[in-house]
Amino acid sequence: MTEIDPNRARDHLANERTFLAWVRTGAAIVVFGFAIGRFAIAIRQLTALQGHPVRTAGMSVWLGSFTIGAGVLLVLAGLVRYRKTRAQLDAGTFEPAGFMLDLITILTVVFGLALAGYLIYAEKSLG
């Protein structure tokens, strides 16, 4: 009879929970991107219905689309990390994540700063 290693099961369950956190975060970013794009479209429609000249903030749609793409890429990165970790756990050669976490951190910081810059630009040019 083969004995079940509780540490192995615990490690794999932790890996699955981590992957689900990647999925939740990616889904939230996709929804956020959709909200950015949809909000810009709604504001343009409301402005046109009120008879005012439409001052387009078309960058919001592109920013929303980019954010949706980033969320999808984040889920894919989570899947790659999950599969790599699963294989390492099975082989007994687990290595903690390094470059991927650095890259995601840097991209998140750059994206956050770009969003802040865009908000300041939009406030000054449209307001």
Side-chain angles (χ1 to χ4, degrees):
M1 179 179 236
T2 305
E3 188 175 317
I4 296 174
D5 180 9
N7 289 330
R8 183 173 185 274
R10 187 175 19 250
D11 290 344
H12 281 284
L13 290 171
N15 187 33
E16 288 178 16
R17 284 190 303 272
T18 302
F19 172 64
L20 291 174
W22 284 79
V23 171
R24 282 190 305 271
T25 303
I29 291 172
V30 166
V31 169
F32 177 64
F34 180 78
I36 291 172
R38 185 65 192 127
F39 184 71
I41 293 168
I43 291 297
R44 280 201 307 266
Q45 290 173 341
L46 179 64
T47 302
L49 284 174
Q50 291 177 342
H52 300 290
V54 177
R55 292 174 55 182
T56 183
M59 188 168 174
S60 294
V61 174
W62 288 105
L63 192 58
S65 298
F66 174 78
T67 304
I68 290 170
V72 169
L73 287 176
L74 189 63
V75 171
L76 291 174
L79 178 62
V80 168
R81 179 65 190 157
Y82 166 76
R83 289 183 176 270
K84 181 179 177 184
T85 300
R86 185 180 67 187
Q88 289 176 344
L89 289 171
D90 286 340
T93 60
F94 175 73
E95 292 287 327
F99 174 73
M100 185 182 292
L101 293 182
D102 294 342
L103 178 64
I104 290 172
T105 301
I106 290 167
L107 290 175
T108 302
V109 168
V110 168
F111 183 64
L113 292 174
L115 272 176
Y118 173 69
L119 287 176
I120 291 168
Y121 164 79
E123 177 62 28
K124 288 185 177 190
S125 66
L126 299 175

